[in-house]
């Protein structure tokens, strides 16, 4: 991670450790991060709280304190930097989302609270923000041209990328296509066919190029590690190579103007499917937890920042001029999130249920509600995308932009606190995991057998052929579970005892 | 690590991912890092090469290529940034040095090549550089005043800090005192008693305050993790807290103008002695390897940079004006490194041998030579300190400074390549580990029994009382090996299988 930094920092020539106020800020921020972790741990048993709400609350309190100390001038320990989010904070979060995706048990593990947590990443919110922005611009600025720029396509691709966290393993392709269709329907009246074609072409190019890049990077790391068998010499080398290759895929996507988020997400999936099985046991443990830890810290960091930013006077000043618009935009966003989430979860669950033969495998209505509800919480990625779209280095002088930011903050705060507070009780209320059979029978929709067969057959066939192809061609080359030579003597035991 | 960055980056307002040339640089640098790791792995079996030489060589080649492409203008992918080294690259290296220090088996494990590697960190080179700088200034600039500034004391404390990697567990206090005495002897004719007292006071204050801060941070993390028993909920939280606390200790030391290197080094030692034993098994594996990996990548990063920097035209231009001075300074540095290292290794080994009863425990002359030799290689930390002292953002316009940098590069290149190439054959030549008994008898110096008793008794007594105190008071409070409740069912097994 320090790589990019070097160049970026160096270019400025004005930054120095001797700048004491920045050292104070860094210290304070680390203390806040530690506090969030400790308080989040203490409140783990609490049925209302979670780490994000804690971080938000601490961020808010800190913002108020800083506001008071600075005499209302600032509520920030740090100013938003696009690079901070897109070069340092987002890659670990998205990569980890891909890396930890449970490919097989995705739906069967809904009872797992951690699985519910990971739905946060399915940030279709970004899309709604952009939609609202368009509506806003229609009324006030009419700056349509840049909406069909590459940047917009990037956002769209990124959006469908994170959608994959939800759809992965069940209906992955469908999601992005649906999303794409949706956006086409909305804008159809405003654009002509050539722009439409260009848009479609752009989207497809970005989508496939990014995916391929991520997959290639993942496969390359798997191949290199399998061929060279790094573990023979050092666990550190394996983990370092995995991290660097993942980050490289992200930066390469940036280099080729692709969707870096999509790339690193697929790189994570491929790495967890192949590379992760090729390394030694201690590397596996290290990689799994190191990636998760990085992602965890980055998320808390963003929530802390959002909490502090919610106290920023500058942006709320615009809002106080036109409270009506602000409330309207926030409500629209909130409604879109509720409806949009439902539009994905329930139909997709229905489709997924059609492919399942046994009633035990099906997603009950309670589970669907849980998935829908838990996904309503907007978080780190939404804020990052909103800041990226609507600010320059955390500041904005445009009224429309300020309102978008404050509305995003409102929705994030509201959804995280209100919906977030309800999620744990909801999970408790809907008993652990699978609905019991009678529940399923009473809640689940009737399934026409013919449609079920129609839908389940291709799905099973595709999966069957993929497994066959994977076992026959991919795994022998790139490794994966069961395709790596077994090493006698657990390296974990050795490495654990080595330090003792 | 992203914390500091946020503020630092944000302050500049001019950095953006849209800056395509920086993205290219980052990509190229990551590719080079990966290449170093792969080539270093392939050459592991080779008896002449190691990872640092590989990184240096690749850096040199890249420097030449960039030089040719840019038409002789630049040989850098990135410009040196003081903050890059002192906020991001050094903390992981020093913390890991402290964390991985084998407290008990330090001398008995000399046969381990990895143990030999860690002596690189014992960078007394910094001291010699400063001495030479003084000599240079006597002749040309006579800018004495700032040598007794706080910054100089910091360097001195840092120097003795890294000395600890060598002296740890045997003669730790002595090293820094000896170093301190040495510097006093040199400068005695130039300074009066009040400056001397101030210097002594400063040094002692820095030394003890930094140590105490590091120990307190380490103990705090141990206490918090033991009391709250984090593992109950999440491995990620434990690892995140360890990382953040370690980094916090470093930044707090910066905040209080202490020696951050000393602080984080002791924090690492305390964490490996207490905190590391309080976490779950998967956290142990993750912490151990994640810290080692970070340190590993940072070191390669620095070596790559040094390799590229060696091709920097700007600095060598000054040298070509006065090749005599440059050669003289390089030779003096090289000689001082040889003599200075010997002045520590042989007397200290002698003293250490006096305290050992069994001839098997003693350090044979061959082992001493290996330690002396392996420690001659100057590396990452030397370069970082030299850049920090003699440049502003990687550039210098002063002749004296440029010569110091080029001389440092010369010594680093020479020592790493020449001495480095010889280290593996040396390790092979002196058979694995302990000298055999006849060897010992023939080589080891005669030991007067009375002196041995005199020296060994207090050493053993101190260690005995420390162990007693540790077991009676420290471990029950802060945890540590054997003082943490045993958890049935290895969490490693669980976490390994979870992802499969």
């Amino acid at each position: 991670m320090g790589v990019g930094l070097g160049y970026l920092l160096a270019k400025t020539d004005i930054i120095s450790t001797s700048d004491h106020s920045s050292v104070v800020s860094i210290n304070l921020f680390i203390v806040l991060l530690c506090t969030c972790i400790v308080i989040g741990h203490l409140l783990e048993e609490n049925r209302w709280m979670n780490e994000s709400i804690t971080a938000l609350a601490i961020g808010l309190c800190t913002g108020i304190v800083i506001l008071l100390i600075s005499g209302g001038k600032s509520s920030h320990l740090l100013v938003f930097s696009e690079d901070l989010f897109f070069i340092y904070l987002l890659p670990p979060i998205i990569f980890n989302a891909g890396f930890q995706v449970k490919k097989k048990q995705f739906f069967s593990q809904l009872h797992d609270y951690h699985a519910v947590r990971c739905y946060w990443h399915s940030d279709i919110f970004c899309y709604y923000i952009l939609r609202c922005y368009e509506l806003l611009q229609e009324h006030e600025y009419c700056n349509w041209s840049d909406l069909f720029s590459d940047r917009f396509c990037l956002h769209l691709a990124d959006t469908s990328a994170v959608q994959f966290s939800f759809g992965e393993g069940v209906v992955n392709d469908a999601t992005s296509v649906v999303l794409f269709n949706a956006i086409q329907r909305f804008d159809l009246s405003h654009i002509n066919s050539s722009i439409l074609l260009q848009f479609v072409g752009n989207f497809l190019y970005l989508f496939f190029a990014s995916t391929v890049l991520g997959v290639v990077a993942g496969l390359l790391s798997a191949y290199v590690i399998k061929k060279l068998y790094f573990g023979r010499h050092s666990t550190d080398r394996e983990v370092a190579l995995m991290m660097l290759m993942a980050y490289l895929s992200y930066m390469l996507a940036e280099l080729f103007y692709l969707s870096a988020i999509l790339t690193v997400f697929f790189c994570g999936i491929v790495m967890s499917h192949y590379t992760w099985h090729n390394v030694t046991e201690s590397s596996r443990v290290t990689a799994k937890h190191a990636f998760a830890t990085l992602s965890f810290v980055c998320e808390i960091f963003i929530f802390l920042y959002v909490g502090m930013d919610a106290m920023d006077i500058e942006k709320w000043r615009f809002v106080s001029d036109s409270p009506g618009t602000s409330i309207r935009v926030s409500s629209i966003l909130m409604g879109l999130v509720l409806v949009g989430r439902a539009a994905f979860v329930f139909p997709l669950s229905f489709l997924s249920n059609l492919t399942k033969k046994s009633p035990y495998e099906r997603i009950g209505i309670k589970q669907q509600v849980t998935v829908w509800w838990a996904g309503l919480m907007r978080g780190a990625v939404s804020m990052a995308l909103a800041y990226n779209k609507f600010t320059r280095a955390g500041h904005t002088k445009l009224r429309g932009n300020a309102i978008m930011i404050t509305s995003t903050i409102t929705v994030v705060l509201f959804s995280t606190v209100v919906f977030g507070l309800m999620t744990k009780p909801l999970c408790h209320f809907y008993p652990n995991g699978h609905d019991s059979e009678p529940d399923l029978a009473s809640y689940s929709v009737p399934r026409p057998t013919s449609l079920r067969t129609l839908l389940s057959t291709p799905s099973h066939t595709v999966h069957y052929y993929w497994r066959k192809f994977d076992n026959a061609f991919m795994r022998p080359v790139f490794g994966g579970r069961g395709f790596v030579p077994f090493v006698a003597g657990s390296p974990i035991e050795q490495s654990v005892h080595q330090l003792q």
Side-chain angles (χ1 to χ4, degrees), chain A residues 137-366:
Chain A
Q137 282 186 320
E138 268 185 291
H139 293 301
E140 295 177 51
Y141 306 99
C142 272
N143 177 22
W144 271 94
S145 61
D146 71 322
L147 281 175
F148 295 97
S149 66
D150 271 4
R151 197 69 203 165
F152 182 63
C153 293
L154 273 178
H155 274 293
L156 185 63
D158 286 352
T159 306
S160 43
V162 280
Q163 262 301 317
F164 268 61
S165 320
F166 171 72
E168 221 299 300
V170 193
V171 278
N172 29 20
D173 281 32
T175 320
S176 53
V177 175
V178 168
L179 183 68
F180 177 63
N181 286 338
I183 210 165
Q184 290 309 310
R185 255 199 312 282
F186 272 110
D187 299 334
L188 217 51
S189 57
H190 291 275
I191 55 175
N192 61 38
S193 61
S194 89
I195 291 177
L196 184 72
L197 265 176
Q198 198 191 325
F199 186 76
V200 173
N202 247 342
F203 178 80
L204 289 178
Y205 164 71
L206 279 174
F207 187 85
F208 286 106
S210 306
T211 307
V212 166
L213 181 63
V215 170
V216 166
L219 288 179
L220 185 66
S221 73
Y223 185 78
V224 167
I225 287 178
K226 180 165 179 278
K227 271 292 152 200
L228 300 179
Y229 192 47
F230 273 84
R232 193 176 44 184
H233 295 308
S234 153
T235 284
D236 307 338
R237 236 174 237 153
E238 293 179 334
V239 178
L241 207 71
M242 282 174 84
M243 279 188 165
L244 288 172
M245 288 292 285
Y247 197 61
L248 181 64
S249 78
Y250 187 87
M251 291 313 293
L252 278 178
E254 284 278 328
L255 184 69
F256 299 134
Y257 301 107
L258 298 173
S259 165
I261 293 180
L262 199 63
T263 303
V264 82
F265 183 78
F266 275 100
C267 185
I269 290 178
V270 171
M271 276 201 178
S272 79
H273 190 65
Y274 298 109
T275 320
W276 192 78
H277 292 279
N278 298 350
V279 298
T280 59
E281 257 185 288
S282 43
S283 298
R284 281 180 215 179
V285 176
T286 306
K288 181 173 179 288
H289 289 296
F291 296 151
T293 304
L294 266 180
S295 165
F296 175 69
V297 172
C298 291
E299 261 187 62
I300 298 182
F301 187 102
I302 297 180
F303 274 106
L304 260 180
Y305 179 79
V306 171
M308 278 184 226
D309 196 64
M311 287 290 122
D312 186 33
I313 294 293
E314 188 191 61
K315 295 189 187 76
W316 292 103
R317 202 162 286 148
F318 290 107
V319 177
S320 62
D321 295 343
S322 52
T325 314
S326 179
I327 292 168
R328 208 166 59 237
V329 171
S330 301
S331 312
I332 292 171
L333 285 174
M334 208 60 241
L336 281 172
V337 166
L338 283 163
V339 175
R341 183 81 193 166
F344 282 104
V345 171
F346 296 109
L348 292 180
S349 301
F350 176 77
L351 285 177
S352 164
N353 280 343
L354 289 180
T355 69
K356 297 284 170 11
K357 279 171 200 137
S358 149
Y360 291 104
E361 288 173 12
R362 290 186 196 112
I363 308 159
I365 191 76
K366 281 180 177 180

Side-chain angles (χ1 to χ4, degrees), chain A residues 129-144 325-326 328-329 332 390 399-404 407:
Chain A
I129 283 189
L130 286 168
R131 280 297 306 152
C132 283
Y133 187 59
E134 291 169 48
L135 294 173
L136 218 68
Q137 282 186 320
E138 268 185 291
H139 293 301
E140 295 177 51
Y141 306 99
C142 272
N143 177 22
W144 271 94
T325 314
S326 179
R328 208 166 59 237
V329 171
I332 292 171
F390 300 115
R399 211 180 121 259
N401 286 356
I403 287 174
M404 288 314 299
S407 301

Side-chain angles (χ1 to χ4, degrees), chain A residues 1 80-92 94 151 154-155 158 247 250-251 254 260-261 264 302 380-389:
Chain A
M1 293 292 154
F80 174 83
S81 147
E82 189 176 286
D83 273 345
L84 173 66
F85 278 80
F86 286 91
I87 294 193
Y88 304 97
L89 296 178
L90 261 194
I94 306 292
R151 197 69 203 165
L154 273 178
H155 274 293
D158 286 352
Y247 197 61
Y250 187 87
M251 291 313 293
E254 284 278 328
I261 293 180
V264 82
I302 297 180
V381 178
S382 307
M383 285 308 302
L385 294 171
Y387 278 106
N388 185 42
K389 184 73 193 170

Side-chain angles (χ1 to χ4, degrees), chain A residues 3 24 85 283 319 351 375 415 443 445 466:
Chain A
V3 181
V24 174
F85 278 80
S283 298
V319 177
L351 285 177
S415 67
Y443 278 102
V445 289
W466 161 245

